[in-house]
Structures are given as structure tokens and as C-alpha cells.
Amino acid sequence: MKTQVAIIGAGPAGLLLGHLLRAEGVDCVIVERASADYVLGRIRAGVLERTTTDLLERLGIDERLRREGLLEEGFCLADGERLIRIDTFGLTGKHVTVYGQTEVTRDLMEAAPARGLEIIYEAEGVALHAIDGDAPYISFTRDGGERRIDARFIVGCDGYHGPSRRAIPASAAREYERVYPFGWLGILADVPPCHDELIYANHARGFALASMRSKSRSRYYIDVPLTEKVEDWSDDRLWDELAIRLGPDAAARITRGPAIEKSIAPLRSYVFEPMRYGSLFLAGDAAHIVPPTGAKGLNLAASDVSYLSDALARHFRRGDHDGVGGYSAKALARVWKAERFSWSLTKLMHRFPDDGPFERQMQMAELDYIASSRAAQTAIAENYVGLPL
């Protein structure tokens, strides 16, 4: 098979890139190692920046998003005694939308056949070849047979553990990483949210987050040491801890219910540079990971593919190579700003093992300053709704 762009990975980044390229008349094929059902089973992010929803609107794949998504005009920081509301809409004029990553993936998948976007699922042993030249190709096995796709460019949207990033020689790359000494224990339940907006809580016992996927489905988290095991946390124990950390006002409105899903996710900040090597580009989690604090992961992937789809369309349609050449630097400039915001919010809202009374007082002073400063709230709001592309 021959195509102009071979995309590895059928998560939101790969699917969104594929749709954007097809809308510009660029030939592309997506190759995914897992089954479609497995991809849809991943429980991930649920807060979309305007940059992400604008892309879906531009593609005309936003009907269900507009119908079911929840427009959020703010969110809250809690310090154990009060809720500090950040009026994101009032400060920036922008909303965020609560709409699960699984639903975004489903919408993009279902729209693919009618738009001529080919997706090859259950491709085993995907490998990249000749990426340092102008005629790269990928190989894989499917249904017991060896397959090959020749392309002008390959785009790795295959996540942190995929083969794309590993195909770049170590001598040509630089990695930056911060591994956090805790994970997020999350519970998903079919119960109404305890608050109309997200609550990020900093309590003496640790961090908590009250979030939602819809008006009838809630997502809650607490931070726990990496030594903790999910099986040690019964539903009742987790609900009890959430009620303590979120504070009495939120606790009074918590509706308890059985877990649909419960897991512990480790936290890390990670950036790989460059995001282009030869004929290979990286996008989304293949190039960068942010802690979930601030909900930047999926939205960063969307900005990557926005930049990249524009650059590739200009390359193929107008012979303009500047966008392709500048993709990595342009994407990384936005990536590092999002990493900074996620890192700073994580530091503000979590208790680190080495923190003592001084660090705790610094957190409380920062939250008190945010509560009384419109300038501080504006800076948070601008980053939360998403910086301009």
C-alpha cells in the first residue's frame, strides 16, 4: 500500500489528524495495534479546551458534543476551608467543555468510513523503516500476513509506549522527565456530580478532585503513595476519604455509588525533543506527558495535530515546506507552557513526601493570594482554557 501520510495510533490524536488531512485532500492511513473495542475502552480525560472543540466543529464532527457536552464557565480551588472560584469565562471570555475522551474517540471513529479515512486495527509488530530519508515505510503483521505501507511522511500518535519515538536515534534526541512520588486513585460512578464545576482540593490529608463526565456520571480522584494497591481501597473507604479532603460543603452534596471503573494512574511530566526526525513526526503522548492536573494531555495532542495537519497540507497542496520544517519548534513552544502550568498546579495542590511545615504554609499563602488577586486568577484562567494556537 502507498499513501502520503502513514499515521501510527488510532487514539484521539491519530484520528483527529487523519480527519484533518482528509478534509484537506491529503491521503493517509491509520494503523493501530489494538482492536477498536479496546481503544474505546480506555478511560481518560474529559475536559476540552476551545482549541479542541473548534477543531471538531471545523470538521463537522461535533453534533453529539454540542448536544451532550457540558459548558463550564469556571472551576474551584479548595484549601480545606473554602472554595476559591476561578471565573474562567468572565476572565477570558472562553468556556471549556466537559466531554469524555472516550466519546471524542467514538465520534471520530464513527465518522471515518463516510469520509474515506482508512483505519487498520489489530496491526501487530508495527515497525518504522528508513525514517531518515524521503521514502519511509512501516511494516506490521495482520491476519497472519506481513504488510507494508510506503509513505512520504510517518506520524507517530502511538503514545508513550509506542514504537515511533523509539525509532529516533538517542544521539538525535533529548528527554526531560519529572516522575511524581504519588498516583491518582480514581473512581468513575453513575452518580450526579457534587458540584456544577470541577473542584481541585488541597487538604492536609492530600489532594482530591471532583470532576464529571455528564450530569449523571462523576469522576473523583485522590492522590495516594505509589505503594498503594487498588484492591486495598473499597468503594466505601474511597468515598469516605473524598468527603474529608473535598471539605464539608462538597461532602454534603456527594452521592455515593458503586464504581464502574477504579484505578491508580502514576503522574509524570515528560518532554521529548525534537518532535520531528527526518520523515517522522511525533504528536501527543508519543512526545510529551503532562500530569492530569489542569487537563492538558488531550488538548496538547489536539494542538499538535492542528499545527501538523496545516503544515502537511501546505506541503502537499502548495509545495510550501516551511510549516513542516518549523513544526517541532512551534509545537514545543506550546508544550512547554502547558507543562509549566500542569507542573505548577500539581505543586500547589499536592503534598509531597519531603514537604514540611514551610512548604505547607507556602501553599496556603499562594492559595490566599489567588483568592484575593484578579491578576493571579486571570493567569490561571488563561492557561486553564488553553493558550492561543
Side-chain angles (χ1 to χ4, degrees):
M1 181 186 296
K2 282 193 172 184
T3 190
Q4 290 175 306
V5 181
I7 301 168
I8 303 175
L15 290 167
L16 187 55
L17 177 61
H19 277 288
L20 289 167
L21 291 176
R22 292 299 302 132
E24 294 290 341
V26 177
D27 290 333
C28 58
V29 177
I30 300 176
V31 176
E32 166 61 46
R33 67 173 180 81
S35 67
D37 288 342
Y38 181 88
V39 173
L40 282 173
R42 297 169 181 158
I43 305 294
R44 299 283 175 83
V47 177
L48 306 182
E49 296 176 1
R50 180 72 177 271
T51 52
T52 304
T53 57
D54 281 353
L55 289 175
L56 294 168
E57 180 182 1
R58 189 173 106 195
L59 289 166
I61 309 178
D62 65 332
E63 180 183 352
R64 197 159 65 94
L65 169 67
R66 285 186 283 109
R67 187 174 65 248
E68 299 179 11
L70 304 177
L71 290 180
E72 295 284 298
E73 296 187 352
F75 70 100
C76 297
L77 302 175
D79 63 2
E81 297 181 359
R82 59 182 168 175
L83 290 181
I84 304 166
R85 184 173 186 268
I86 309 297
D87 182 6
T88 52
F89 184 74
L91 293 165
T92 69
K94 295 180 181 180
H95 298 94
V96 296
T97 303
V98 173
Y99 189 69
Q101 178 173 319
T102 301
E103 307 312 315
V104 173
T105 304
R106 188 188 310 278
D107 294 342
L108 292 168
M109 279 184 176
E110 291 178 353
R115 296 168 185 236
L117 176 57
E118 183 174 1
I119 308 169
I120 301 171
Y121 292 102
E122 300 180 66
E124 299 179 0
V126 175
L128 295 78
H129 309 271
I131 60 172
D132 54 354
D134 294 337
Y137 65 95
I138 62 175
S139 63
F140 58 94
T141 302
R142 190 171 187 273
D143 298 330
E146 296 292 328
R147 307 290 183 91
R148 170 172 167 157
I149 299 177
D150 291 272
R152 175 59 189 89
F153 294 111
I154 298 172
V155 183
C157 299
D158 47 349
Y160 182 78
H161 298 290
S164 297
R165 187 182 66 256
R166 295 198 296 269
I168 297 176
S171 60
R174 179 176 294 179
E175 296 178 274
Y176 304 86
E177 186 172 35
R178 171 71 159 97
V179 177
Y180 295 90
F182 42 72
W184 275 17
L185 169 60
I187 182 171
L188 184 70
D190 278 331
V191 295
C194 70
H195 196 272
D196 292 338
E197 298 173 338
L198 275 68
I199 302 173
Y200 290 84
N202 179 327
H203 189 273
R205 291 173 66 97
F207 167 82
L209 170 63
S211 182
M212 73 283 289
R213 292 294 177 266
S214 69
K215 292 182 178 179
S216 59
R217 177 168 288 188
S218 297
R219 185 72 159 159
Y220 290 93
Y221 296 95
I222 61 170
D223 72 326
V224 295
L226 293 174
T227 53
E228 292 288 308
K229 293 181 170 53
V230 174
E231 51 267 29
D232 294 333
W233 285 85
S234 66
D235 289 359
D236 285 341
R237 181 188 178 194
L238 182 48
W239 287 119
D240 288 344
E241 189 66 23
L242 281 162
I244 294 170
R245 296 191 189 186
L246 288 170
D249 290 344
R253 298 192 295 271
I254 290 177
T255 302
R256 302 186 178 208
I260 298 172
E261 189 268 349
K262 192 161 52 178
S263 59
I264 297 177
L267 272 64
R268 64 156 48 93
S269 297
Y270 174 83
V271 180
F272 182 93
E273 296 184 355
M275 291 174 63
R276 179 197 178 187
Y277 175 79
S279 294
L280 169 65
F281 300 90
L282 302 178
D285 288 358
H288 43 75
I289 302 287
V290 290
T293 328
K296 293 295 154 202
L298 172 57
N299 295 299
L300 266 187
S303 66
D304 288 348
V305 301
S306 177
Y307 293 143
L308 186 53
S309 62
D310 178 65
L312 290 171
R314 286 160 54 194
H315 173 89
F316 286 112
R317 297 183 65 183
R318 300 200 297 271
D320 180 350
H321 310 310
D322 290 347
V324 166
Y327 163 71
S328 180
K330 189 174 185 179
L332 283 166
R334 197 171 192 273
V335 165
W336 276 113
K337 291 182 181 70
E339 291 279 358
R340 184 208 66 81
F341 176 66
S342 297
W343 168 80
S344 63
L345 193 58
T346 301
K347 285 285 289 181
L348 175 63
M349 303 307 294
H350 292 73
R351 303 295 305 280
F352 284 71
D354 294 337
D355 284 355
F358 177 83
E359 286 78 13
R360 177 64 174 165
Q361 289 302 114
M362 288 297 98
Q363 289 180 330
M364 294 300 99
E366 178 71 10
L367 287 165
D368 194 45
Y369 172 64
I370 291 168
S372 61
S373 170
R374 182 179 177 86
Q377 292 180 20
T378 300
I380 292 172
E382 286 178 347
N383 284 272
Y384 188 76
V385 301
L387 299 174
L389 287 177

PDB file of all heavy atoms in Angstrom, residues 201-227:
ATOM      1  N   ALA A 201      -8.824  20.165  45.220  1.00  0.00           N
ATOM      2  CA  ALA A 201      -8.727  20.404  46.663  1.00  0.00           C
ATOM      3  C   ALA A 201      -7.335  20.087  47.197  1.00  0.00           C
ATOM      4  O   ALA A 201      -6.757  19.044  46.872  1.00  0.00           O
ATOM      5  CB  ALA A 201      -9.763  19.558  47.399  1.00  0.00           C
ATOM      6  N   ASN A 202      -6.802  21.005  48.018  1.00  0.00           N
ATOM      7  CA  ASN A 202      -5.567  20.793  48.760  1.00  0.00           C
ATOM      8  C   ASN A 202      -5.940  20.684  50.233  1.00  0.00           C
ATOM      9  O   ASN A 202      -6.283  21.668  50.876  1.00  0.00           O
ATOM     10  CB  ASN A 202      -4.605  21.972  48.533  1.00  0.00           C
ATOM     11  CG  ASN A 202      -3.300  21.817  49.295  1.00  0.00           C
ATOM     12  OD1 ASN A 202      -3.245  21.264  50.373  1.00  0.00           O
ATOM     13  ND2 ASN A 202      -2.224  22.350  48.713  1.00  0.00           N
ATOM     14  N   HIS A 203      -5.884  19.467  50.752  1.00  0.00           N
ATOM     15  CA  HIS A 203      -6.243  19.211  52.139  1.00  0.00           C
ATOM     16  C   HIS A 203      -5.004  18.709  52.870  1.00  0.00           C
ATOM     17  O   HIS A 203      -4.061  18.192  52.249  1.00  0.00           O
ATOM     18  CB  HIS A 203      -7.364  18.149  52.204  1.00  0.00           C
ATOM     19  CG  HIS A 203      -7.963  17.958  53.549  1.00  0.00           C
ATOM     20  ND1 HIS A 203      -7.434  17.090  54.474  1.00  0.00           N
ATOM     21  CD2 HIS A 203      -9.051  18.518  54.130  1.00  0.00           C
ATOM     22  CE1 HIS A 203      -8.174  17.111  55.570  1.00  0.00           C
ATOM     23  NE2 HIS A 203      -9.156  17.983  55.390  1.00  0.00           N
ATOM     24  N   ALA A 204      -4.994  18.852  54.178  1.00  0.00           N
ATOM     25  CA  ALA A 204      -3.863  18.373  54.978  1.00  0.00           C
ATOM     26  C   ALA A 204      -3.616  16.885  54.764  1.00  0.00           C
ATOM     27  O   ALA A 204      -2.478  16.404  54.898  1.00  0.00           O
ATOM     28  CB  ALA A 204      -4.102  18.665  56.457  1.00  0.00           C
ATOM     29  N   ARG A 205      -4.660  16.121  54.397  1.00  0.00           N
ATOM     30  CA  ARG A 205      -4.515  14.685  54.157  1.00  0.00           C
ATOM     31  C   ARG A 205      -4.094  14.378  52.727  1.00  0.00           C
ATOM     32  O   ARG A 205      -3.758  13.231  52.422  1.00  0.00           O
ATOM     33  CB  ARG A 205      -5.827  13.968  54.471  1.00  0.00           C
ATOM     34  CG  ARG A 205      -6.172  13.960  55.953  1.00  0.00           C
ATOM     35  CD  ARG A 205      -7.563  13.390  56.165  1.00  0.00           C
ATOM     36  NE  ARG A 205      -7.665  11.987  55.802  1.00  0.00           N
ATOM     37  CZ  ARG A 205      -7.570  10.972  56.661  1.00  0.00           C
ATOM     38  NH1 ARG A 205      -7.318  11.225  57.947  1.00  0.00           N
ATOM     39  NH2 ARG A 205      -7.692   9.741  56.262  1.00  0.00           N
ATOM     40  N   GLY A 206      -4.137  15.386  51.858  1.00  0.00           N
ATOM     41  CA  GLY A 206      -3.738  15.171  50.469  1.00  0.00           C
ATOM     42  C   GLY A 206      -4.696  15.797  49.477  1.00  0.00           C
ATOM     43  O   GLY A 206      -5.655  16.478  49.838  1.00  0.00           O
ATOM     44  N   PHE A 207      -4.417  15.544  48.230  1.00  0.00           N
ATOM     45  CA  PHE A 207      -5.154  16.133  47.109  1.00  0.00           C
ATOM     46  C   PHE A 207      -6.443  15.364  46.837  1.00  0.00           C
ATOM     47  O   PHE A 207      -6.543  14.154  47.055  1.00  0.00           O
ATOM     48  CB  PHE A 207      -4.266  16.091  45.869  1.00  0.00           C
ATOM     49  CG  PHE A 207      -4.968  16.372  44.569  1.00  0.00           C
ATOM     50  CD1 PHE A 207      -5.218  17.678  44.161  1.00  0.00           C
ATOM     51  CD2 PHE A 207      -5.390  15.333  43.746  1.00  0.00           C
ATOM     52  CE1 PHE A 207      -5.853  17.944  42.959  1.00  0.00           C
ATOM     53  CE2 PHE A 207      -6.019  15.585  42.545  1.00  0.00           C
ATOM     54  CZ  PHE A 207      -6.257  16.892  42.149  1.00  0.00           C
ATOM     55  N   ALA A 208      -7.444  16.075  46.298  1.00  0.00           N
ATOM     56  CA  ALA A 208      -8.667  15.435  45.790  1.00  0.00           C
ATOM     57  C   ALA A 208      -9.185  16.258  44.621  1.00  0.00           C
ATOM     58  O   ALA A 208      -8.962  17.469  44.534  1.00  0.00           O
ATOM     59  CB  ALA A 208      -9.728  15.329  46.875  1.00  0.00           C
ATOM     60  N   LEU A 209      -9.878  15.589  43.716  1.00  0.00           N
ATOM     61  CA  LEU A 209     -10.505  16.249  42.574  1.00  0.00           C
ATOM     62  C   LEU A 209     -11.917  15.713  42.413  1.00  0.00           C
ATOM     63  O   LEU A 209     -12.128  14.495  42.380  1.00  0.00           O
ATOM     64  CB  LEU A 209      -9.707  15.993  41.298  1.00  0.00           C
ATOM     65  CG  LEU A 209     -10.355  16.430  39.975  1.00  0.00           C
ATOM     66  CD1 LEU A 209     -10.573  17.931  39.930  1.00  0.00           C
ATOM     67  CD2 LEU A 209      -9.507  15.982  38.779  1.00  0.00           C
ATOM     68  N   ALA A 210     -12.864  16.628  42.323  1.00  0.00           N
ATOM     69  CA  ALA A 210     -14.244  16.279  41.985  1.00  0.00           C
ATOM     70  C   ALA A 210     -14.495  16.723  40.554  1.00  0.00           C
ATOM     71  O   ALA A 210     -14.433  17.916  40.247  1.00  0.00           O
ATOM     72  CB  ALA A 210     -15.221  16.960  42.939  1.00  0.00           C
ATOM     73  N   SER A 211     -14.747  15.769  39.674  1.00  0.00           N
ATOM     74  CA  SER A 211     -14.967  16.058  38.268  1.00  0.00           C
ATOM     75  C   SER A 211     -16.222  15.326  37.817  1.00  0.00           C
ATOM     76  O   SER A 211     -16.923  14.696  38.610  1.00  0.00           O
ATOM     77  CB  SER A 211     -13.735  15.639  37.448  1.00  0.00           C
ATOM     78  OG  SER A 211     -13.889  15.942  36.092  1.00  0.00           O
ATOM     79  N   MET A 212     -16.501  15.393  36.522  1.00  0.00           N
ATOM     80  CA  MET A 212     -17.695  14.739  35.998  1.00  0.00           C
ATOM     81  C   MET A 212     -17.499  14.409  34.525  1.00  0.00           C
ATOM     82  O   MET A 212     -16.617  14.962  33.868  1.00  0.00           O
ATOM     83  CB  MET A 212     -18.935  15.630  36.187  1.00  0.00           C
ATOM     84  CG  MET A 212     -19.016  16.842  35.271  1.00  0.00           C
ATOM     85  SD  MET A 212     -17.948  18.202  35.736  1.00  0.00           S
ATOM     86  CE  MET A 212     -18.769  18.791  37.207  1.00  0.00           C
ATOM     87  N   ARG A 213     -18.315  13.493  34.038  1.00  0.00           N
ATOM     88  CA  ARG A 213     -18.372  13.189  32.611  1.00  0.00           C
ATOM     89  C   ARG A 213     -19.699  13.633  32.015  1.00  0.00           C
ATOM     90  O   ARG A 213     -19.816  13.852  30.821  1.00  0.00           O
ATOM     91  CB  ARG A 213     -18.147  11.695  32.359  1.00  0.00           C
ATOM     92  CG  ARG A 213     -16.746  11.219  32.678  1.00  0.00           C
ATOM     93  CD  ARG A 213     -15.729  11.836  31.730  1.00  0.00           C
ATOM     94  NE  ARG A 213     -14.361  11.422  32.079  1.00  0.00           N
ATOM     95  CZ  ARG A 213     -13.558  12.105  32.857  1.00  0.00           C
ATOM     96  NH1 ARG A 213     -13.983  13.246  33.389  1.00  0.00           N
ATOM     97  NH2 ARG A 213     -12.336  11.697  33.110  1.00  0.00           N
ATOM     98  N   SER A 214     -20.713  13.721  32.856  1.00  0.00           N
ATOM     99  CA  SER A 214     -22.040  14.177  32.432  1.00  0.00           C
ATOM    100  C   SER A 214     -22.798  14.577  33.697  1.00  0.00           C
ATOM    101  O   SER A 214     -22.250  14.529  34.801  1.00  0.00           O
ATOM    102  CB  SER A 214     -22.789  13.069  31.685  1.00  0.00           C
ATOM    103  OG  SER A 214     -23.138  12.018  32.566  1.00  0.00           O
ATOM    104  N   LYS A 215     -24.062  14.936  33.550  1.00  0.00           N
ATOM    105  CA  LYS A 215     -24.864  15.302  34.708  1.00  0.00           C
ATOM    106  C   LYS A 215     -25.241  14.092  35.556  1.00  0.00           C
ATOM    107  O   LYS A 215     -25.755  14.250  36.665  1.00  0.00           O
ATOM    108  CB  LYS A 215     -26.129  16.023  34.249  1.00  0.00           C
ATOM    109  CG  LYS A 215     -25.850  17.395  33.645  1.00  0.00           C
ATOM    110  CD  LYS A 215     -27.132  18.103  33.244  1.00  0.00           C
ATOM    111  CE  LYS A 215     -26.825  19.481  32.681  1.00  0.00           C
ATOM    112  NZ  LYS A 215     -28.060  20.203  32.264  1.00  0.00           N
ATOM    113  N   SER A 216     -24.959  12.903  35.041  1.00  0.00           N
ATOM    114  CA  SER A 216     -25.286  11.696  35.793  1.00  0.00           C
ATOM    115  C   SER A 216     -24.089  10.764  35.990  1.00  0.00           C
ATOM    116  O   SER A 216     -24.240   9.674  36.525  1.00  0.00           O
ATOM    117  CB  SER A 216     -26.412  10.922  35.090  1.00  0.00           C
ATOM    118  OG  SER A 216     -26.014  10.563  33.777  1.00  0.00           O
ATOM    119  N   ARG A 217     -22.909  11.187  35.552  1.00  0.00           N
ATOM    120  CA  ARG A 217     -21.710  10.356  35.723  1.00  0.00           C
ATOM    121  C   ARG A 217     -20.586  11.218  36.284  1.00  0.00           C
ATOM    122  O   ARG A 217     -20.256  12.260  35.722  1.00  0.00           O
ATOM    123  CB  ARG A 217     -21.294   9.713  34.402  1.00  0.00           C
ATOM    124  CG  ARG A 217     -20.005   8.896  34.500  1.00  0.00           C
ATOM    125  CD  ARG A 217     -19.772   8.044  33.273  1.00  0.00           C
ATOM    126  NE  ARG A 217     -20.704   6.908  33.228  1.00  0.00           N
ATOM    127  CZ  ARG A 217     -20.628   5.915  32.343  1.00  0.00           C
ATOM    128  NH1 ARG A 217     -19.685   5.927  31.419  1.00  0.00           N
ATOM    129  NH2 ARG A 217     -21.494   4.924  32.379  1.00  0.00           N
ATOM    130  N   SER A 218     -19.995  10.761  37.394  1.00  0.00           N
ATOM    131  CA  SER A 218     -18.970  11.540  38.091  1.00  0.00           C
ATOM    132  C   SER A 218     -17.633  10.818  38.093  1.00  0.00           C
ATOM    133  O   SER A 218     -17.566   9.587  38.071  1.00  0.00           O
ATOM    134  CB  SER A 218     -19.394  11.803  39.548  1.00  0.00           C
ATOM    135  OG  SER A 218     -20.574  12.572  39.598  1.00  0.00           O
ATOM    136  N   ARG A 219     -16.574  11.617  38.133  1.00  0.00           N
ATOM    137  CA  ARG A 219     -15.209  11.110  38.211  1.00  0.00           C
ATOM    138  C   ARG A 219     -14.524  11.809  39.374  1.00  0.00           C
ATOM    139  O   ARG A 219     -14.466  13.044  39.423  1.00  0.00           O
ATOM    140  CB  ARG A 219     -14.477  11.404  36.901  1.00  0.00           C
ATOM    141  CG  ARG A 219     -13.073  10.824  36.817  1.00  0.00           C
ATOM    142  CD  ARG A 219     -13.091   9.337  36.664  1.00  0.00           C
ATOM    143  NE  ARG A 219     -11.845   8.817  36.091  1.00  0.00           N
ATOM    144  CZ  ARG A 219     -11.454   7.564  36.217  1.00  0.00           C
ATOM    145  NH1 ARG A 219     -12.182   6.701  36.903  1.00  0.00           N
ATOM    146  NH2 ARG A 219     -10.344   7.153  35.657  1.00  0.00           N
ATOM    147  N   TYR A 220     -14.026  11.038  40.339  1.00  0.00           N
ATOM    148  CA  TYR A 220     -13.351  11.579  41.505  1.00  0.00           C
ATOM    149  C   TYR A 220     -11.943  10.983  41.608  1.00  0.00           C
ATOM    150  O   TYR A 220     -11.712   9.836  41.186  1.00  0.00           O
ATOM    151  CB  TYR A 220     -14.111  11.232  42.789  1.00  0.00           C
ATOM    152  CG  TYR A 220     -15.430  11.929  42.975  1.00  0.00           C
ATOM    153  CD1 TYR A 220     -16.620  11.333  42.549  1.00  0.00           C
ATOM    154  CD2 TYR A 220     -15.507  13.170  43.599  1.00  0.00           C
ATOM    155  CE1 TYR A 220     -17.848  11.958  42.738  1.00  0.00           C
ATOM    156  CE2 TYR A 220     -16.730  13.801  43.794  1.00  0.00           C
ATOM    157  CZ  TYR A 220     -17.896  13.191  43.358  1.00  0.00           C
ATOM    158  OH  TYR A 220     -19.106  13.815  43.546  1.00  0.00           O
ATOM    159  N   TYR A 221     -11.028  11.755  42.195  1.00  0.00           N
ATOM    160  CA  TYR A 221      -9.661  11.288  42.399  1.00  0.00           C
ATOM    161  C   TYR A 221      -9.160  11.719  43.770  1.00  0.00           C
ATOM    162  O   TYR A 221      -9.555  12.772  44.287  1.00  0.00           O
ATOM    163  CB  TYR A 221      -8.703  11.893  41.366  1.00  0.00           C
ATOM    164  CG  TYR A 221      -8.945  11.510  39.937  1.00  0.00           C
ATOM    165  CD1 TYR A 221      -9.702  12.328  39.101  1.00  0.00           C
ATOM    166  CD2 TYR A 221      -8.373  10.358  39.393  1.00  0.00           C
ATOM    167  CE1 TYR A 221      -9.901  12.009  37.770  1.00  0.00           C
ATOM    168  CE2 TYR A 221      -8.567  10.022  38.065  1.00  0.00           C
ATOM    169  CZ  TYR A 221      -9.327  10.858  37.256  1.00  0.00           C
ATOM    170  OH  TYR A 221      -9.525  10.537  35.940  1.00  0.00           O
ATOM    171  N   ILE A 222      -8.246  10.938  44.325  1.00  0.00           N
ATOM    172  CA  ILE A 222      -7.398  11.361  45.421  1.00  0.00           C
ATOM    173  C   ILE A 222      -5.972  10.940  45.082  1.00  0.00           C
ATOM    174  O   ILE A 222      -5.754  10.019  44.288  1.00  0.00           O
ATOM    175  CB  ILE A 222      -7.807  10.750  46.783  1.00  0.00           C
ATOM    176  CG1 ILE A 222      -7.719   9.207  46.731  1.00  0.00           C
ATOM    177  CG2 ILE A 222      -9.205  11.190  47.188  1.00  0.00           C
ATOM    178  CD1 ILE A 222      -7.882   8.542  48.092  1.00  0.00           C
ATOM    179  N   ASP A 223      -4.983  11.652  45.648  1.00  0.00           N
ATOM    180  CA  ASP A 223      -3.621  11.181  45.446  1.00  0.00           C
ATOM    181  C   ASP A 223      -3.263  10.181  46.535  1.00  0.00           C
ATOM    182  O   ASP A 223      -3.709  10.288  47.682  1.00  0.00           O
ATOM    183  CB  ASP A 223      -2.632  12.349  45.388  1.00  0.00           C
ATOM    184  CG  ASP A 223      -2.398  13.010  46.738  1.00  0.00           C
ATOM    185  OD1 ASP A 223      -3.341  13.077  47.534  1.00  0.00           O
ATOM    186  OD2 ASP A 223      -1.263  13.462  46.988  1.00  0.00           O
ATOM    187  N   VAL A 224      -2.477   9.174  46.153  1.00  0.00           N
ATOM    188  CA  VAL A 224      -2.056   8.115  47.077  1.00  0.00           C
ATOM    189  C   VAL A 224      -0.590   7.791  46.790  1.00  0.00           C
ATOM    190  O   VAL A 224      -0.104   8.017  45.680  1.00  0.00           O
ATOM    191  CB  VAL A 224      -2.909   6.835  46.923  1.00  0.00           C
ATOM    192  CG1 VAL A 224      -4.353   7.083  47.309  1.00  0.00           C
ATOM    193  CG2 VAL A 224      -2.818   6.285  45.499  1.00  0.00           C
ATOM    194  N   PRO A 225       0.140   7.258  47.778  1.00  0.00           N
ATOM    195  CA  PRO A 225       1.520   6.835  47.515  1.00  0.00           C
ATOM    196  C   PRO A 225       1.559   5.758  46.430  1.00  0.00           C
ATOM    197  O   PRO A 225       0.595   4.997  46.234  1.00  0.00           O
ATOM    198  CB  PRO A 225       1.973   6.266  48.870  1.00  0.00           C
ATOM    199  CG  PRO A 225       1.073   6.909  49.880  1.00  0.00           C
ATOM    200  CD  PRO A 225      -0.241   7.085  49.198  1.00  0.00           C
ATOM    201  N   LEU A 226       2.673   5.683  45.722  1.00  0.00           N
ATOM    202  CA  LEU A 226       2.800   4.714  44.636  1.00  0.00           C
ATOM    203  C   LEU A 226       2.790   3.275  45.134  1.00  0.00           C
ATOM    204  O   LEU A 226       2.622   2.344  44.349  1.00  0.00           O
ATOM    205  CB  LEU A 226       4.094   4.987  43.854  1.00  0.00           C
ATOM    206  CG  LEU A 226       4.118   6.317  43.082  1.00  0.00           C
ATOM    207  CD1 LEU A 226       5.501   6.538  42.468  1.00  0.00           C
ATOM    208  CD2 LEU A 226       3.050   6.335  41.997  1.00  0.00           C
ATOM    209  N   THR A 227       2.959   3.099  46.428  1.00  0.00           N
ATOM    210  CA  THR A 227       2.934   1.744  47.001  1.00  0.00           C
ATOM    211  C   THR A 227       1.507   1.228  47.209  1.00  0.00           C
ATOM    212  O   THR A 227       1.319   0.041  47.513  1.00  0.00           O
ATOM    213  CB  THR A 227       3.675   1.738  48.349  1.00  0.00           C
ATOM    214  OG1 THR A 227       3.126   2.771  49.189  1.00  0.00           O
ATOM    215  CG2 THR A 227       5.166   2.004  48.147  1.00  0.00           C
TER     216      THR A 227
END
